[in-house]
Amino acid sequence: MPQSSSLAHIDVGAILANPGKGAASGPARISIEDGRIAAVTPLGGAKTGTMAIAAPVNAHDHGRGLRTLAFGAVDDGLEAWIPTLSREPKLDAYRRAAVAFARMAEGGICATNHSHGPQDESRILEECEAVSRAAADVGIHVAFAAPFTDRNPLVYGDQKTFLAAADPALRPRLEARLGPPKEVKAYLRRVEEMAAFEHERFSIQYCPVGAQWVSDASLAAIAEASAVNGRRIHMHLLETRYQREWADHAYPDGIVRQLDEIGLLSPRLSIAHGVYLTADESALLAERGVIVSVNTSSNFRLRSGIAPVADFIGAGTRFGVGLDAQPLDDDDDMLREMRLVWLNHRGFGLDDVLTAARLFEGATVDGRRAVIGEDGGGRIAPGAPADILELDYAAMTADVLAADADPTNVLLTRATRKHIRRLIVGGRVIVADGRCVTVDRPALEAELIGEAKRSWNAVPPDDAATAAMKRAVRRYYGCGCHFGAGLR
């Protein structure tokens, strides 16, 4: 049975309070009161082999308990991959979220920005309530990014041109998705209804899913609502070169400048990906206080490219680290993801670009701001939230000869989820010895898989339709139809 406890204190062999900036201290006792760190007190005696760091944050995800490979959404370019997501069986919303959040916790994650993908848009309130319960039961912080779209339901650009490119047998199904656009006023009211499910570990954010899928008028309405009530906004932006090409055609003066003119850019906004941001656009985001989620594994798996982190650093753009539900090994290992970001962006040859200190700040502080806002978290110091990751440092250093080896280097070289001793969120133990103790993840996951298999066998996916859709997508974008070229 799941067992969790709130702690009065934890004793650790060392504390790495400022990775990349200072040496580890310890042994020490971290005292906890009302979910926050009350004091950090040195202890005598030998080090115990454990090390505490501020727990990292998953700045962008989709919370799929059933991973995409399971239902045949095989990694591909994003535009060709999106149609395969329809193969996901309809699943219990609570189990779907609880399995995802528990898996994240076991990967060291204390908070996540959950960009929700509805299974049934007519039941979005029920799904939101289920995700809220899952967040409470697992115990990590969750921001529920409530999705909204009202344009380009099939592709970026001219929907009729795409229909002409599609297999005739597929057209009736596609035409059914070209109904009247959704009303942003109804969406804004629905978000306020969702706010009834907020609690200490769960908040609601606006989520205009992406600039290519949301009209300017709706983006402006969401920006205005956010300015009035202070609610945060989370969205995708410029993830692929096709989105960049569409945006340059649709907005010759610049898509990011357009978003700024309608009031969307502010410290309340976080964006996912930003792979095709220009240096000038990165500078504008920095000036407005926008936070970017860098999703390295996902951008590799979905063939999107590599985010311009050097530009973010040069401009002072805040950025966090996100898994996007597509981690490198499908295991939600945030420690490995941080290492992947480090290896991709520290600089090649003798060029120094990303520092270890900036990486950890992004993963613990800036990513946290995107999910929770400014709450003093992402550090181990009196007054900060007691969101702490305790690692088996001795297991990482059994062969390390130098007693004064830099622990930041050790973590960036070796730390993975197998080294997690405890994840503590708000002073409560969520993971102990690598296992989520607040919910029974293996049992929930077994139930989820069983449900998925029954659904799959009862209504098998239409493989022919999926293949036809992918062909049509490749033809449309391959012709450049998304930026005004003719169909070939």
Side-chain angles (χ1 to χ4, degrees), residues 418-435:
K418 73 180 181 182
H419 297 110
I420 295 173
R421 289 283 299 274
R422 283 189 292 189
L423 172 68
I424 297 161
V425 180
R428 180 187 179 201
V429 177
I430 306 300
V431 172
D433 293 324
R435 181 178 65 88

Side-chain angles (χ1 to χ4, degrees), residues 189-205:
R189 290 194 298 269
R190 186 59 55 89
V191 168
E192 294 312 307
E193 293 179 73
M194 293 177 183
F197 305 128
E198 292 184 319
H199 54 73
E200 183 184 14
R201 295 281 181 268
F202 186 78
S203 62
I204 304 295
Q205 297 191 4

Side-chain angles (χ1 to χ4, degrees), residues 365-415:
V365 177
D366 287 342
R368 185 183 184 94
R369 287 182 177 130
V371 176
I372 301 171
E374 183 57 72
D375 70 343
R379 56 198 179 93
I380 298 181
D387 294 353
I388 301 165
L389 190 61
E390 184 182 357
L391 301 169
D392 186 348
Y393 189 69
M396 287 182 252
T397 56
D399 64 339
V400 174
L401 305 180
D404 59 350
D406 184 342
T408 300
N409 291 337
V410 174
L411 297 186
L412 288 175
T413 304
R414 293 186 173 176

Side-chain angles (χ1 to χ4, degrees), residues 463-485:
D463 293 337
T466 299
M469 183 68 173
K470 286 170 69 74
R471 287 194 301 270
V473 164
R474 288 180 176 277
R475 183 183 179 194
Y476 177 86
Y477 289 109
C479 289
C481 295
H482 56 298
F483 57 83

Side-chain angles (χ1 to χ4, degrees), residues 102-257:
R103 191 186 297 129
M104 289 182 206
E106 292 174 351
I109 292 163
C110 73
T112 185
N113 205 321
H114 172 76
S115 184
H116 187 68
Q119 297 230 312
D120 182 345
E121 290 191 11
S122 70
R123 298 176 60 85
I124 187 70
L125 276 179
E126 291 93 329
E127 292 185 15
C128 180
E129 186 277 333
V131 176
S132 173
R133 279 190 288 118
D137 289 351
V138 174
I140 68 171
H141 305 277
V142 175
F144 183 96
F148 177 79
T149 60
D150 68 350
R151 71 168 167 178
N152 291 339
L154 302 176
V155 287
Y156 325 139
D158 188 342
Q159 309 303 294
K160 292 181 180 179
T161 298
F162 177 70
L163 287 173
D167 188 310
L170 195 61
R171 288 174 194 166
R173 180 179 306 193
L174 299 178
E175 289 170 347
R177 294 171 54 186
L178 298 178
K182 301 166 190 171
E183 295 184 358
V184 71
K185 289 183 179 180
Y187 166 75
L188 295 174
R189 290 194 298 269
R190 186 59 55 89
V191 168
E192 294 312 307
E193 293 179 73
M194 293 177 183
F197 305 128
E198 292 184 319
H199 54 73
E200 183 184 14
R201 295 281 181 268
F202 186 78
S203 62
I204 304 295
Q205 297 191 4
Y206 298 117
C207 182
V209 176
Q212 63 277 3
W213 293 306
V214 183
S215 66
D216 294 346
S218 293
L219 288 170
I222 292 169
E224 182 180 6
S226 171
V228 170
N229 61 30
R231 191 173 299 285
R232 294 193 62 82
I233 306 171
H234 185 64
M235 67 185 293
H236 300 77
L237 184 65
L238 296 175
E239 181 175 355
T240 73
R241 72 180 179 93
Y242 305 105
Q243 292 175 10
R244 176 86 257 180
E245 290 166 350
W246 168 84
D248 289 345
H249 175 70
Y251 300 94
D253 293 332
I255 180 66
V256 176
R257 188 157 299 282

